[in-house]
Amino acid sequence: KKAKCFSDIHYDIGKIDDKMYSSFTEHLGRSIYTGIYEPGHPNADEDGYRKDVMELVKELGVPVIRYPGGNFVSCYDWHDGIGPKEKRPKRMDYAWSSIETNQFGIDEFCQWAEKVGIEPMIAVNLGTGSIKDAGDLVEYCNHPGGTYWSDLRAQNGHPEPYNIKYWCLGNEMEGSWQAGHLSAEDYTKKALEAAKIMRWVDPSIKLVACGSSYEMLPTYMEWDRTMLTDLYNQVDYLSTHNYTMNSGQGTTNYLASYKQLDSHIKNSAKVIEYVKAKNHFDKDLKICLDEWNVWNFQDIKLDSLDDLMGLTTFEMTSAGKWEIAPPILQEKYSLLDAVVVGGLGISLLNNADTVEIACLAQLINVIAPITTIPGGGIFKQAIYHPFHMLSKYGHGTVKKAIVDAPKYQCDLGELNVVEPAVIYNEENDEVRIFVLNCDQEEDVEFEVDLQGYGDKKVKKHLVLAGNDYSVMNTIEHPDAVEMEEKEVTAANSVVLPKMSWNVIVLG
Ligand code: AHR
């Protein structure tokens, strides 16, 4: 098969913000404890942070990490996680029916963030928490000193403020699974008052409002319209979440998941535009897709996402109740999942005009690209590789691309067998193309027709493909799935192997 991709340098989609390659870590399962933090581990530093984890997080090139949840944040009292560790209380975490030891809190996260070189994005509890708690947390983190909470931070060993810029006003507040779930009207009132106090404490912060995430909820989009009508001018981003699941829809549909993410993002963009137009607002609001990934719910038996909606969070994992850092949501990703994650990355890029922040959910052990063994080693899950390639090569301006290619039919309609995202990297004068070949039977010869970019030839071609799409990386076989570098043979075309995700660099 053959496909041709046309791109003209004059037609932009949008400049890619580096925050497109952000991530998320929650107090959930082994994400923090025995993930980030494992005192006594042979590879832990003097503060108990695993150095092997820090190295991989640095290599992944993640600029911002969202913390501490997730569903967890709606049950969390941040005061429990500060001060002398021996005095911190053990609490029931209702979100994941686990015990939270509070040995890791906001100071530890900020200290770890500094060591790793990432910027924290903090979610406040608008479920069971109060607007005063939210204001106090901004004061604790960002006020220079001379007040109760800022002085307590200094007393706890951190005289300099953390100056945290990005703050999420709660998490998935539209969902009944959320502790302290609110109606759109009640969330609007609470978020508005929290935003007011948080900005009084520090006017420089950027705020993310909870948009709706789950398309099967009856409030989908209507929540956003109601909430944004009052919150639009008080916030900087609209949040949404999107998880892709291989749930028996068949490989053809699963590979086409990028299209579902594309419409999900466009729905959020449309509701922003609607509220802006209806109310004659001036400013633009960007999207913060602060949770996205493949999540196959391997912990439990599910036939479809509809089944999931009937579950309480207590039923969402296989763990016994009230364990400390139980091994839950430890998804094992296959080569097929990795190809799909690469496809989702293409949709993120093709929406660079509206998406400014996107967080791969999550980072370590829990639906994550990095897996650690308690007391032992570490390995990269299959999805690590496409995400790493996106964060490494996905910088510059996304350009419009028109594709002339064979079509195929799936549940989302008729689609091209290839789906590209074309980027012009101004710094290196390179064209970088991420492209998915959804054809399961045949390789596709992919020709690039560039206008106005100067004389560019293919100089690199990296491929994610294989013979067995169920293969997974493990601690014993950590490189079973990895990117393969192909020999470059033609100036303006490459062969995309069947069912593959590709990185092409032209310079
Ligand atoms: O990332 C896992 C969970 O998914 C988060 O806690 C929640 O926000 C989402 O539903």
Side-chain angles (χ1 to χ4, degrees):
K1 282 185 183 168
K2 284 180 190 245
K4 202 163 174 179
C5 173
F6 303 87
S7 177
D8 186 308
I9 197 164
H10 299 101
Y11 299 144
D12 289 356
I13 290 181
K15 181 97 189 138
I16 305 162
D17 193 292
D18 285 350
K19 296 191 289 300
M20 188 73 100
Y21 309 113
S22 300
S23 189
F24 167 46
T25 187
E26 176 170 2
H27 282 247
L28 194 183
R30 296 182 44 249
S31 190
I32 303 292
Y33 304 107
T34 71
I36 287 179
Y37 180 71
E38 193 174 351
H41 187 281
N43 225 331
D45 72 3
E46 64 288 0
D47 296 306
Y49 310 126
R50 283 184 67 149
K51 288 188 277 191
D52 49 0
V53 171
M54 290 198 269
E55 272 160 33
L56 285 194
V57 175
K58 281 185 196 165
E59 183 186 83
L60 255 192
V62 182
V64 170
I65 300 180
R66 179 170 173 255
Y67 170 87
N71 296 337
F72 171 80
V73 77
S74 298
C75 311
Y76 180 53
D77 184 346
W78 68 269
H79 305 96
D80 290 339
I82 56 170
K85 289 191 176 173
E86 64 283 3
K87 291 201 175 140
R88 298 187 192 177
K90 285 199 177 77
R91 299 272 191 207
M92 281 179 151
D93 161 35
Y94 311 137
W96 303 107
S97 51
S98 310
I99 297 289
E100 173 53 51
T101 63
N102 283 304
Q103 293 303 291
F104 188 99
I106 187 71
D107 289 317
E108 285 76 27
F109 183 66
C110 291
Q111 185 185 35
W112 179 79
E114 204 182 318
K115 289 188 188 206
V116 185
I118 62 97
E119 198 170 347
M121 176 159 82
I122 303 298
V124 297
N125 176 354
L126 290 193
T128 60
S130 74
I131 56 173
K132 180 73 168 53
D133 294 335
D136 290 347
L137 182 56
V138 179
E139 182 186 325
Y140 185 86
C141 293
N142 287 7
H143 195 67
T147 63
Y148 180 78
W149 292 112
S150 57
D151 286 349
L152 192 59
R153 181 197 65 238
Q155 206 178 303
N156 287 338
H158 308 275
E160 292 305 316
Y162 297 126
N163 292 324
I164 294 167
K165 189 166 167 190
Y166 300 100
W167 293 84
C168 305
L169 295 165
N171 175 72
E172 291 185 354
M173 292 303 297
E174 91 276 24
S176 58
W177 57 89
Q178 205 66 211
H181 150 66
L182 297 169
S183 66
E185 291 77 10
D186 289 344
Y187 172 72
T188 307
K189 280 188 212 151
K190 191 166 182 180
L192 207 53
E193 292 308 306
K196 192 169 82 183
I197 293 179
M198 290 164 79
R199 280 205 207 280
W200 280 342
V201 177
D202 182 353
S204 72
I205 59 175
K206 301 268 181 214
L207 294 173
V208 185
C210 271
S212 54
S213 296
Y214 292 91
E215 297 184 15
M216 62 286 286
L217 291 185
T219 52
Y220 182 62
M221 290 289 107
E222 185 54 18
W223 162 284
D224 305 62
R225 187 199 61 76
T226 310
M227 175 273 290
L228 281 181
T229 299
D230 288 329
L231 270 173
Y232 193 96
N233 284 317
Q234 317 307 326
V235 297
D236 303 282
Y237 301 94
L238 173 69
S239 147
T240 187
H241 297 169
N242 192 267
Y243 288 104
T244 300
M245 186 180 171
N246 189 1
S247 60
Q249 72 271 51
T251 305
T252 305
N253 291 314
Y254 185 43
L255 281 169
S257 301
Y258 69 87
K259 195 70 190 163
Q260 186 276 327
L261 177 62
D262 181 67
S263 16
H264 186 86
I265 293 171
K266 289 194 164 65
N267 289 346
S268 296
K270 282 174 196 157
V271 76
I272 291 174
E273 282 306 307
Y274 174 79
V275 174
K276 182 182 173 194
K278 169 102 178 119
N279 298 286
H280 311 287
F281 293 146
D282 287 332
K283 73 166 187 180
D284 289 322
L285 209 62
K286 294 289 183 181
I287 295 170
C288 172
L289 179 70
D290 48 27
E291 292 184 30
W292 72 273
N293 201 352
V294 162
W295 182 1
N296 287 326
F297 290 87
Q298 289 165 348
D299 257 10
I300 47 174
K301 285 271 158 284
L302 274 184
D303 289 328
S304 74
L305 265 184
D306 291 341
D307 289 358
L308 187 64
M309 287 296 133
L311 297 179
T312 65
T313 47
F314 286 109
E315 294 163 330
M316 269 174 65
T317 77
S318 58
K321 284 186 186 172
W322 317 124
E323 290 176 32
I324 295 174
I328 54 177
L329 273 54
Q330 299 197 162
E331 298 271 316
K332 297 172 187 69
Y333 289 105
S334 65
L335 171 60
L336 178 60
D337 296 324
V339 170
V340 169
V341 163
L344 300 176
I346 288 173
S347 289
L348 287 184
L349 290 167
N350 283 329
N351 286 283
D353 50 338
T354 57
V355 179
E356 191 174 296
I357 309 177
C359 305
L360 180 74
Q362 298 193 9
L363 185 61
I364 303 145
N365 291 330
V366 169
I367 43 171
I370 299 171
T371 298
T372 66
I373 309 298
I378 190 166
F379 68 94
K380 301 170 183 176
Q381 290 273 351
I383 62 167
Y384 183 101
H385 297 291
F387 186 80
H388 183 207
M389 293 299 101
L390 288 160
S391 80
K392 185 170 176 186
Y393 291 103
H395 301 278
T397 306
V398 186
K399 301 288 177 180
K400 284 189 180 142
I402 303 294
V403 173
D404 183 7
K407 311 266 188 270
Y408 72 103
Q409 199 64 38
C410 69
D411 287 353
L412 297 166
E414 193 183 60
L415 301 177
N416 289 321
V417 287
V418 296
E419 175 70 7
V422 174
I423 295 159
Y424 179 56
N425 180 275
E426 298 84 358
E427 215 179 310
N428 297 289
D429 187 25
E430 283 177 351
V431 175
R432 297 166 178 185
I433 305 177
F434 298 104
V435 54
L436 184 66
N437 177 11
C438 293
D439 199 299
Q440 292 167 58
E441 306 299 329
E442 287 184 48
D443 298 350
V444 173
E445 191 186 322
F446 183 72
E447 191 185 329
V448 184
D449 188 334
L450 299 175
Q451 296 296 318
Y453 293 91
D455 188 26
K456 299 265 178 298
K457 293 182 173 53
V458 177
K459 56 181 195 185
K460 195 183 266 290
H461 180 201
L462 300 162
V463 176
L464 188 62
N467 297 322
D468 177 1
Y469 282 78
S470 64
V471 76
M472 294 170 178
N473 288 344
T474 58
I475 193 79
E476 293 81 21
H477 302 286
D479 300 324
V481 178
E482 56 182 359
M483 300 297 303
E484 186 196 340
E485 179 144 14
K486 293 276 186 197
E487 208 179 308
V488 175
T489 50
N492 69 338
S493 74
V494 298
V495 173
L496 310 177
K498 62 182 179 185
M499 256 169 101
S500 65
W501 185 79
N502 302 257
V503 186
I504 306 164
V505 180
L506 297 102

